[in-house]
Amino acid sequence: MGAFKPIWTPVDSGESIIEAFGGLDLDYINERYRIYDPALGRLVEKPWTDIVNNRSLPAGRTYWDQNGVLQTAAADAPVIEYDPVTGVKLGNRIWGEYRNIVPQSEDFSDTSWIKGDASIATVPGTGLSGQATVQKLVENPSSNRHRLAINIITVGTQSTFRLIVKPDGRELIQITFSGNITNNHININLSTKTVTAASATIQAVVRTLPVGVLEVLITTVNSSGASGEFSVDMITNPLAGRGLGAYTGNGSSGLLLYLAQGSPNSIAPPYAKTTGAPVIIPAETQIIDGQNFLDLWNGAEGSIYAHAKTDAPDPVAAYIFEIGSTDGNNRRFFLFDDPATALLGSVSGGQVLITSMTGQPVGVPSKLTYSFVRSGNAKASRDGVLSPQFSGASPSIESRMVIGGRTSNPTQYLNGHIRRLIILRKALPASLLQRITSL
Amino acid sequence: MTHTYRTDPHYLHFHDRAAWLESWSACELSRLDEETGVYLPIYRCHVVEVGEIQKGGEWDEEGLEIVAPEILPGYHVNILLENELVLPAALEQYLLPKPDQPHMIWSCEQGA
């Protein structure tokens, strides 16, 4: 448990903003959660189970821990994730619905994986979750394509595929899609992370994970709803054409295999294990409401601070929070909507862009604030840039706040991480909004 | 607040998408999103429109079809409910028995 940074004592008296104005502080990075108790006149430490008291967190979510080990979270357990490459703590991960459409994601010896002039061997090694053995794709001593393939279903117009592998004698691979999926291919040198034969309909990036394995992330453009084949060929010519990577194998070289994932949309989601059928991870929800927080809400005015990032690429909007008394109308949302950050109001069936701040970066944390009073006159700031003040009736934080998404809409989520979230009972002045987002 | 994900999701089959949308919009598991005009699931109800199901298929090195995928007719929808939510009676007529080899499963079904 770490200490609070002094950014929340910017007033001359040295008094904490949170203590001065009352509110709730969800500090995911320091794993510390505090709420202002008016009876005691101070912030009181609370356990996670009391703070996010209304949540729906599905089974099957995997995440990278502080040691770079792939873990699986239990149902209802929040995920505090680390970057597997840098080891940096990313914060509270919140994601909408996502899928793995590769039906057998870890057991490549299963018959659903077609082995072409190759076989699967089990060899000593460290698995992503700490296992003592790893599967290896071994080429046969024949002159042919040496490959691994599987039928997949329900791709999207834009799909992402993740393959985690490690060279063990072969460092060049060709990824191909065929059948009713657009007939794409791309060649990848795993040692140099060089990609060739990319096109407008298929691209790939390679990064190194902690245990020396390589994550290949492929994006493709396909015919929505189609099914077809996802194939991994070992090749020797980096410029080999599609399906033309035949060579004479030596009977021992190959590729270590860790996992495979496919997602039928443009966002590469967290990994989800499959064991025979494509799997759906339902959208998760974290809601603050209920009796524990009656003292928190102030219908007259309030402020919210968020330090968050989204992995959603343009043009996918990423919702940081939803406030309002119900999940019907008269709600207000704060969201990333590349290239802008926007504050949206939903009143009587219409959605109105209230204000926006342009230039929103994707994939890096951003600091945002929003303050309002009941009669209007709301303000917002992002990373030290103050938005124009706006007026109009303001849905207030009366009893309920949805963190990282909107209830009941699996397509409107943050799809990223929240480092810190602070709710205040008072509307901060513009100068403070700008200051706390520039620190 | 504790809750549970059901491990017995509902597999529904409709004649086409229009039939699904007609039944869905009239049932209590959906609500009209006034911003988009789309009927969205209520809190703790999860819906996946699988649609037409294709199974199998083989393709040659050029991506040409060798064995055509099997196409299961109709429009398929999977629904997962949490806690006290129950499938409305109006949707029960569209229920299929749980398939031996589901086209797609929810994560809570793994190991269930």
Side-chain angles (χ1 to χ4, degrees), chain A residues 109-192:
Chain A
S109 66
D110 186 84
T111 54
S112 58
W113 282 98
I114 303 158
K115 273 74 76 173
D117 279 284
S119 60
I120 297 294
T122 299
V123 299
T126 303
L128 297 179
S129 299
Q131 306 95 321
T133 59
V134 179
Q135 290 187 332
K136 178 180 178 181
L137 179 66
V138 183
E139 64 193 26
N140 290 350
S142 59
S143 181
N144 212 331
R145 291 174 70 185
H146 306 280
R147 62 192 289 260
L148 185 69
I150 195 165
N151 279 0
I152 53 175
I153 57 161
T154 320
V155 296
T157 50
Q158 283 188 299
S159 297
T160 56
F161 286 81
R162 172 184 284 121
L163 187 67
I164 296 186
V165 295
K166 186 177 185 178
D168 191 5
R170 294 295 170 197
E171 61 185 20
L172 290 172
I173 62 172
Q174 180 178 81
I175 305 293
T176 62
F177 295 92
S178 62
N180 295 323
I181 304 173
T182 303
N183 292 330
N184 287 320
H185 82 280
I186 195 166
N187 298 344
I188 300 161
N189 185 318
L190 297 169
S191 294
T192 64

Side-chain angles (χ1 to χ4, degrees), chain A residues 116-287:
Chain A
D117 279 284
S119 60
I120 297 294
T122 299
V123 299
T126 303
L128 297 179
S129 299
Q131 306 95 321
T133 59
V134 179
Q135 290 187 332
K136 178 180 178 181
L137 179 66
V138 183
E139 64 193 26
N140 290 350
S142 59
S143 181
N144 212 331
R145 291 174 70 185
H146 306 280
R147 62 192 289 260
L148 185 69
I150 195 165
N151 279 0
I152 53 175
I153 57 161
T154 320
V155 296
T157 50
Q158 283 188 299
S159 297
T160 56
F161 286 81
R162 172 184 284 121
L163 187 67
I164 296 186
V165 295
K166 186 177 185 178
D168 191 5
R170 294 295 170 197
E171 61 185 20
L172 290 172
I173 62 172
Q174 180 178 81
I175 305 293
T176 62
F177 295 92
S178 62
N180 295 323
I181 304 173
T182 303
N183 292 330
N184 287 320
H185 82 280
I186 195 166
N187 298 344
I188 300 161
N189 185 318
L190 297 169
S191 294
T192 64
K193 300 179 185 176
T194 305
V195 176
T196 55
S199 68
T201 56
I202 185 166
Q203 296 175 32
V205 293
V206 183
R207 66 174 184 166
T208 304
L209 298 181
V211 289
V213 301
L214 298 159
E215 179 190 64
V216 182
L217 197 62
I218 306 137
T219 55
T220 68
V221 176
N222 303 293
S223 301
S224 180
S227 61
E229 191 179 80
F230 168 57
S231 176
V232 182
D233 281 45
M234 294 182 286
I235 58 176
T236 55
N237 176 7
L239 300 176
R242 183 175 176 280
L244 299 176
Y247 66 93
T248 302
N250 60 22
S252 60
S253 293
L255 195 64
L256 300 183
L257 305 166
Y258 296 85
L259 61 83
Q261 180 170 27
S263 169
N265 54 51
S266 59
I267 303 175
Y271 169 65
K273 181 179 180 178
T274 60
T275 56
V279 72
I280 310 159
I281 305 288
E284 62 185 83
T285 310
Q286 298 180 19
I287 300 175

Side-chain angles (χ1 to χ4, degrees), chain A residues 14-29:
Chain A
E15 188 178 27
S16 160
I17 285 178
I18 305 166
E19 291 186 331
F21 297 126
L24 173 66
D25 182 359
L26 303 178
D27 187 351
Y28 300 105
I29 294 301

Side-chain angles (χ1 to χ4, degrees), chain B residues 1 6 26 51 61 72 79-82 88 90-91 101-103 108:
Chain B
M1 179 183 295
R6 302 283 179 74
E61 295 174 357
L72 305 182
I79 294 180
L80 177 68
L81 302 173
E82 298 177 51
L91 292 181
Q101 294 180 309
H103 181 73
C108 59

Side-chain angles (χ1 to χ4, degrees), chain A residues 292-310:
Chain A
N292 289 350
F293 304 100
L294 290 179
D295 293 332
L296 173 65
W297 313 114
N298 180 0
E301 60 180 297
S303 301
I304 297 177
Y305 166 92
H307 190 188
K309 79 166 178 67
T310 178

